[in-house]
Amino acid sequence: MPGVLPISPLVWPHLCTNSRQVVKMSATGIRKPGFESPAIKLPSHPTYDLKGVVKLALAEDAGDRGDVTCMATIPLDMEVEAHFLAKEDGIIAGIALAEMIFHEVDPSLKVEWSLKDGDHVHKGLQFGKVSGRAHSIVIAERVVLNFMQRMSGIATLTKVLIGGGKNHRMGLFDMVMIKDNHISAAGGIINAIRSVDEYLGQKNLQMEVEVETRTLEEVNEVLQYASQMKTSLTRIMLDNMVVPLPNGDVDVSMLKEAVQLINGRFETEASGNVTIETVHKIGQTGVTYISSGALTHSVKALDISLKIDMELALQVGRRTKRA
């Protein structure tokens, strides 16, 4: 599930299906305490049942007995206030989903935030609170944090979606992405593009179309076709044109030549051998987007806690240098 960084120019920043993610390189302002963020609308999908996923996650935790620890230690009628605590610097994400989870467990819970999705948090910052039945809060806690920590980890690395970017596509249905296997099955890159153009015309569909190229010859083939035929093509992927070197550096000369050949006629996307260390050099070639699977499959979750006894939590945090 690679992510995509649009670069113009590149500045390296501080989520399901065969989706990619597009990251806008823009700063996000820090909200003042007390700011109540309007819930950001969750992405729509014609078949994906997010509420169903939340129910499944809660049911997985509950098993056939429910939260036995809660039932043993917390009176059902006890009410408390619990605070969200950032235990490292990063970008917060998952606020709208957290509210959905809390309200699925107990609609009477009250959730308040001092930041919005996509805002910066720093270690030791309290950025939200939930109040109501202690039993309900603790039952929801783990599922809320599991989602928020992962989403915030991704947002911290890439500023994706709610942090300044957007999904490249939500699935196989909303964008044409002509990859190597499509090209092989179609009998060549031009056959594949021509088939897509004909299909979209027949179905009266308008959507973005990207084709993967692996050689400069394929790039030239695509450009020649586009100069002679009306096409729906919008982006050319330049796959594995970043060549790793023994010293850990990368050779981007092939990528740069491909970008120069395309000369702005289409968006360009560099894919393959992208790391935090190489992304800046890749961006300097003038490519429009940079994609990297590491943005999602290798991301480190952001350390976030939800604490009822905040004073003790901060005391422990200071002792361990995590708050």
Side-chain angles (χ1 to χ4, degrees), residues 130-280:
V130 55
S131 54
R133 292 177 63 221
H135 199 273
S136 300
I137 292 171
V138 176
I139 286 174
E141 174 190 358
R142 193 69 263 154
V143 174
V144 166
L145 291 178
N146 281 347
F147 278 109
M148 287 192 74
Q149 287 176 336
R150 172 137 179 98
M151 292 172 70
S152 298
I154 296 171
T156 297
L157 184 58
T158 62
K159 294 190 176 182
V160 294
L161 193 60
I162 48 185
K166 63 179 181 179
N167 287 75
H168 194 200
R169 60 176 180 173
M170 292 300 293
L172 302 178
F173 62 91
D174 62 335
M175 178 182 180
V176 176
M177 189 177 295
I178 309 170
K179 299 277 286 177
D180 50 1
N181 286 335
H182 304 113
I183 292 167
S184 298
I189 195 165
I190 300 308
N191 285 347
I193 299 173
R194 183 184 293 115
S195 296
V196 166
D197 286 336
E198 291 173 357
Y199 179 85
L200 294 179
Q202 291 166 5
K203 300 294 183 180
N204 195 28
L205 292 172
Q206 290 186 334
M207 60 179 62
E208 293 184 347
V209 178
E210 179 172 8
V211 65
E212 176 182 313
T213 61
R214 295 157 289 182
T215 65
L216 294 177
E217 289 74 20
E218 283 188 330
V219 173
N220 276 313
E221 282 186 70
V222 171
L223 293 175
Q224 185 175 358
Y225 171 84
S227 68
Q228 297 171 350
M229 305 291 292
K230 184 179 179 181
T231 179
S232 300
L233 186 67
T234 55
R235 185 183 304 175
I236 299 176
M237 181 189 293
L238 307 169
D239 188 51
N240 285 310
M241 295 188 186
V242 175
V243 181
L245 299 174
N247 64 357
D249 199 1
V250 287
D251 179 358
V252 296
S253 57
M254 183 180 180
L255 177 64
K256 188 173 183 179
E257 185 175 350
V259 171
Q260 290 171 345
L261 281 171
I262 296 166
N263 194 29
R265 283 175 277 183
F266 297 97
E267 294 177 338
T268 54
E269 178 184 321
S271 179
N273 298 309
V274 179
T275 66
I276 293 176
E277 292 73 30
T278 63
V279 69
H280 183 72

Side-chain angles (χ1 to χ4, degrees), residues 1-13:
M1 188 168 62
V4 183
L5 303 175
I7 309 301
S8 179
L10 176 129
V11 179
W12 182 249

